[in-house]
Amino acid sequence: MDIIFIHELLIETTIGVHPWERDRCRTLRLDLELGADIHPAAATDRLENTLDYQAVAQRVSDFAAASDFQLVETLAERIAELLLQEFTIPWLRLTLHKPGVPLGAKAAGVMIERRRRSS
């Protein structure tokens, strides 16, 4: 399996459990590794034969902007579910970074791996 990746995608969302976190959007950083077979695209040099990472990035950004979760765990899980449902990927690894939390740290967050469920 090949991997198409998107690193350090900046997404805007409302996230947090504390009242002071919920009064404005925050910028989170997202890293994605998406399982793919790039052979068809490499053979044809055609975008329609591969995973369009611009479309993935836009979908994730739009979803995050419309969401209002408290936990980064919830946002990460919902993004993973969305990608597995809407794009032809069998597997993904997602890392979601929440900068500046906890105090004194560059970031905290979660890393998850998910597979498409067999029908």
Side-chain angles (χ1 to χ4, degrees):
M1 182 181 319
D2 305 310
I3 295 175
I4 293 176
F5 67 89
I6 301 170
H7 286 175
E8 298 191 20
L9 177 64
L10 301 178
I11 58 174
E12 298 286 328
T13 191
T14 302
I15 194 102
V17 296
H18 304 290
W20 57 268
E21 293 180 295
R22 306 210 48 86
D23 64 357
R24 63 181 173 88
C25 283
R26 297 183 60 96
T27 302
L28 305 182
R29 196 174 79 243
L30 180 72
D31 298 327
L32 287 170
E33 296 178 10
L34 308 164
D37 177 5
I38 68 164
H39 289 101
T44 63
D45 199 29
R46 310 268 315 164
L47 178 60
E48 59 267 13
N49 293 331
T50 192
L51 179 62
D52 182 348
Y53 50 79
Q54 183 60 47
V56 170
Q58 188 63 55
R59 184 65 178 105
V60 168
S61 294
D62 292 346
F63 179 80
S67 71
D68 187 21
F69 298 112
Q70 293 188 24
L71 302 176
V72 293
E73 292 87 344
T74 307
L75 179 58
E77 189 67 35
R78 296 303 179 272
I79 290 171
E81 290 170 357
L82 174 87
L83 294 176
L84 289 169
Q85 289 173 4
E86 294 186 12
F87 293 90
T88 308
I89 54 173
W91 167 89
L92 67 78
R93 178 180 295 131
L94 180 156
T95 306
L96 189 57
H97 307 259
K98 186 175 177 184
V101 177
L103 288 176
K106 185 173 182 179
V110 296
M111 178 187 297
I112 63 173
E113 289 187 28
R114 298 292 180 268
R115 293 193 178 280
R116 178 182 300 275
R117 293 186 182 157
S118 300
S119 299

